[in-house]
Amino acid sequence: MLQVTPVHLWLNGDFKPRGILRVKNQQFSGFAGYSDLYKADIMFSDQSKPLPIMVKEFRVLLNDNESNDQFSSIVDMLQDRESAVGYDHKYISPIWSASVATTGHTVPAIATPYYGNGNIVNYVRFHPSADRFELVCQTASALVHIHSKDIVHGNMCPENICIADDGMVRLTDIAVDTLVRQTIHRNNLCVPSKWMYKSPEELEWGYRTTQTDVYSFAVTIYSVYTLKPPFASKAHSYGKGLVQIVNHGHNGLFGEIKPDAMSNDLWEVVRICCAVDPSQRPSMEEVDEMLVRMREDK
């Protein structure tokens, strides 16, 4: 049985009060690096329409009390991050505490709204007329907001940029991967599942800063315009790619090959954000200002 207890619920700008939640139609949806994914519907006592949600049930073995406590601590910390970020940014997805109860075993989890349009790359792939530049601008706005709260996203990639029913961006999983690494892996270096979007210093030293977010944002933009990851996704074949990024960054990979649909100005933003030296990258606020000027010049 899935149990969800949101502190607040803010969707599409309309505040919904807390209510008694009933969960139905729970379905297994897939695997993530440290969690199992479920789609479910929740019913509020004061709402007649169910809300589809996606639940990440953290993977904890039966009777592994230490891991259970660690993941419970992560869920608590994520709620603190959620409070710091705020509930009113239209391009950021809400996140709620949850738990999944099986036979004598309750596992901590987190839940977000279910976004049927999928992530930004899948959305553009199935909606070729979508305004990619506008989606990029919306993502930048969300990142500026969380950086203004001294929070690092830590895992910027297409999978964490979802598209809501209104066709607008919802940035998800803010700080989730970082907290899991810090709590469960004790900051030990291991290959991130989304290594192909990472900066050289993150892959080599494990650093996660606002500047690594800027770098990963730029690589994500590249994938939005090419509709493919910067490296072919093949199991256990990441060695050469990791070395190439650590030694030369993504500019060495991109070369001079600008995606056809990308403007020259946006291409230049991608290039400067992918500077190997973090001090040479613009801040996310500066990137946002550049994108705003580009939008005004369109």
Side-chain angles (χ1 to χ4, degrees):
M1 177 185 297
L2 173 66
Q3 300 169 338
V4 183
T5 309
V7 178
H8 296 286
L9 177 58
W10 191 291
L11 295 172
N12 299 327
D14 296 322
F15 181 75
K16 310 285 196 309
R18 282 189 299 183
I20 298 173
L21 307 181
R22 292 187 294 108
V23 180
K24 62 180 184 179
N25 300 328
Q26 182 176 333
Q27 299 175 349
F28 179 74
S29 183
F31 298 99
Y34 40 78
S35 60
D36 298 324
L37 306 179
Y38 293 89
K39 180 186 175 185
D41 293 329
I42 57 175
M43 288 292 298
F44 293 84
S45 58
D46 60 350
Q47 302 289 327
S48 59
K49 185 179 179 181
L51 172 70
I53 61 172
M54 180 63 73
V55 179
K56 285 189 174 183
E57 174 195 354
F58 291 115
R59 201 170 293 126
V60 179
L61 296 176
L62 184 66
N63 297 326
D64 187 349
N65 295 328
E66 181 180 2
S67 294
N68 200 308
D69 290 344
Q70 289 175 331
F71 278 116
S72 295
S73 175
I74 289 170
V75 171
D76 291 341
M77 287 187 284
L78 286 171
Q79 283 298 296
D80 291 339
R81 295 288 197 282
E82 177 78 353
S83 297
V85 168
Y87 300 90
D88 57 348
H89 196 287
K90 59 185 176 181
Y91 302 135
I92 294 178
S93 172
I95 184 173
W96 308 303
S97 301
S99 60
V100 177
T102 56
T103 308
H105 186 47
T106 301
V107 178
I110 56 176
T112 65
Y114 173 77
Y115 298 111
N117 284 320
N119 68 58
I120 187 171
V121 168
N122 287 340
Y123 181 73
V124 171
R125 182 178 289 119
F126 289 107
H127 298 82
S129 62
D131 189 337
R132 281 180 272 200
F133 180 71
E134 180 59 29
L135 297 176
V136 166
C137 290
Q138 292 173 12
T139 306
S141 174
L143 275 174
V144 169
H145 180 73
I146 67 170
H147 286 181
S148 73
K149 306 297 183 180
D150 295 323
I151 294 173
V152 174
H153 187 287
N155 198 26
M156 276 301 305
C157 61
E159 286 76 6
N160 287 333
I161 306 171
C162 294
I163 308 298
D165 290 344
D166 59 10
M168 294 196 295
V169 159
R170 298 293 190 275
L171 187 63
T172 67
D173 273 22
I174 297 169
V176 174
D177 192 70
T178 299
L179 288 175
V180 170
R181 285 176 172 273
Q182 291 174 346
T183 305
I184 305 299
H185 300 299
R186 304 297 185 187
N187 281 323
N188 291 332
L189 282 177
C190 53
V191 178
S193 61
K194 300 303 174 184
W195 61 268
M196 67 285 293
Y197 297 97
K198 302 296 187 179
S199 67
E201 72 272 19
E202 181 173 349
L203 291 177
E204 186 170 13
W205 304 108
Y207 298 149
R208 291 189 173 189
T209 66
T210 56
Q211 292 310 100
T212 59
D213 273 355
V214 168
Y215 190 104
S216 296
F217 169 73
V219 182
T220 298
I221 293 175
Y222 186 82
S223 286
V224 170
Y225 277 82
T226 61
L227 299 182
K228 58 184 180 181
F231 289 87
S233 181
K234 297 179 180 179
H236 311 299
S237 64
Y238 46 77
K240 289 183 179 179
L242 286 170
V243 171
Q244 183 170 353
I245 295 173
V246 168
N247 290 338
H248 306 291
H250 281 74
N251 278 334
L253 168 69
F254 296 161
E256 300 299 327
I257 306 173
K258 178 182 75 67
D260 292 338
M262 184 182 289
S263 69
N264 291 330
D265 288 340
L266 184 56
W267 178 237
E268 185 59 27
V269 170
V270 170
R271 297 293 298 274
I272 63 175
C273 289
C274 286
V276 174
D277 182 352
S279 68
Q280 298 302 308
R281 299 172 203 154
S283 68
M284 203 61 231
E285 185 175 8
E286 291 170 329
V287 172
D288 186 57
E289 291 171 354
M290 288 186 276
L291 295 176
V292 168
R293 288 195 297 269
M294 291 165 57
R295 178 194 277 158
E296 292 171 347
D297 293 339
K298 286 180 68 175

